[in-house]
Amino acid sequence: MKTFSVFRSPAVRDSLGIGVAVGAAGLAFGTAAVAAGLSPAQAVFLSLFMFTGASQFALVGVIAGGGNLVAGALGALLLGARNTLYGLRLADVLGYRGVRRALAAHGVIDETTAVTLVQPDRESARTAFMTTYLVLGGFWVATTLVGALATDRVDNIDAFGLDAVGPAIFLGLLWPRLREGGLRTWLIAALGAGLALATTPLMPPGVPVLLAASAGLLAFVGTDDRTGATGRPEGADETDRAEGVRS
């Protein structure tokens, strides 16, 4: 019974839904990668080790357009730079140490960050992070392989509308924070959206994302009701002390 109760927890339930829904978008990447000239094995390798959708699409997009590999890699790195910002935040929230921190770094992407940061405490945050990481990662790699192998059988994978899954999920995760947040939360959201909309037509891919992320600096002005002055989940300090005793 305890096992089934774990699956009914909000952290696990939401993470499973996000992992399956977003992971299905790997079909589009597998198709795009093979259409750009990569083999199915190369497409799966990118999904397994690179594991960040926007950067993967940027890389194969440059290759498909006739660009060189260096330009594609630089564009992918630029888009992936936002994961570094996510990592700085999640390192404090999750509190992993040593090898666990190094392994968790591979799973720091948009979806794992979003579902982790809405959790009320460290235990739920860790559960949400690992569940989303494992489920999404597994589906992403599997659907990449399916999409790569099915390229010759499906004329237009975009017809399935898989590219709309990610944005729809982010809106769903964002709305509760906006509804419960105060004026500062709305200012951060509005500034980030405004920067992204204003710079997307003018800047290379990846730059608008980084500029929009700078709106988060407003979070350091004052304190946050949910996390306190340090920006950490409630109970984080107690958890650290408990882990120190166990170690």
Side-chain angles (χ1 to χ4, degrees):
M1 294 298 294
K2 185 177 180 180
T3 301
F4 289 106
S5 66
V6 170
F7 286 98
R8 288 199 298 267
S9 70
V12 173
R13 185 177 62 246
D14 295 344
S15 300
L16 287 172
I18 291 171
V20 172
V22 178
L27 287 168
F29 174 72
T31 300
V34 172
L38 275 65
S39 68
Q42 290 171 325
V44 171
F45 179 86
L46 284 176
S47 285
L48 182 61
F49 291 98
M50 196 172 184
F51 187 51
T52 173
S55 296
Q56 291 177 225
F57 277 107
L59 177 61
V60 300
V62 171
I63 295 174
N68 59 61
L69 187 60
V70 174
L74 289 176
L77 286 172
L78 181 60
L79 276 170
R82 70 190 187 282
N83 294 337
T84 303
L85 301 177
Y86 298 159
L88 293 173
R89 181 72 177 92
L90 291 184
D92 194 43
V93 172
L94 297 172
Y96 287 138
R97 300 288 186 270
V99 176
R100 286 196 298 174
R101 173 177 286 194
L103 293 175
H106 180 258
V108 177
I109 56 175
D110 296 330
E111 290 78 12
T112 55
T113 301
V115 76
T116 299
L117 293 182
V118 298
Q119 303 306 318
D121 54 62
R122 174 166 289 175
E123 182 179 357
S124 297
R126 287 180 170 181
T127 300
F129 177 83
M130 291 306 301
T131 304
T132 306
Y133 175 28
L134 294 175
V135 175
L136 197 161
F139 270 84
W140 182 256
V141 173
T143 55
T144 294
L145 177 60
V146 172
L149 296 177
T151 300
D152 294 334
R153 298 176 180 271
V154 180
D155 293 331
N156 183 19
I157 196 71
D158 292 338
F160 292 100
L162 296 174
D163 55 333
V165 173
I169 287 175
F170 276 112
L171 288 175
L173 290 170
L174 178 63
W175 176 245
R177 287 300 292 265
L178 290 176
R179 186 178 57 190
E180 298 171 5
L183 177 60
R184 184 178 56 177
T185 302
W186 281 93
L187 286 174
I188 292 173
L191 180 59
L195 287 172
L197 290 173
T199 57
T200 294
L202 307 174
M203 300 289 185
V207 175
V209 177
L210 296 177
L211 291 176
S214 66
L217 294 174
L218 289 177
F220 293 102
V221 180
T223 60
D224 186 88
D225 294 336
R226 289 173 58 90
T227 58
T230 61
R232 306 178 68 188
E234 295 178 1
D237 292 331
E238 290 77 4
T239 303
D240 282 343
R241 285 195 289 270
E243 289 182 346
V245 172
R246 288 195 295 269
S247 62

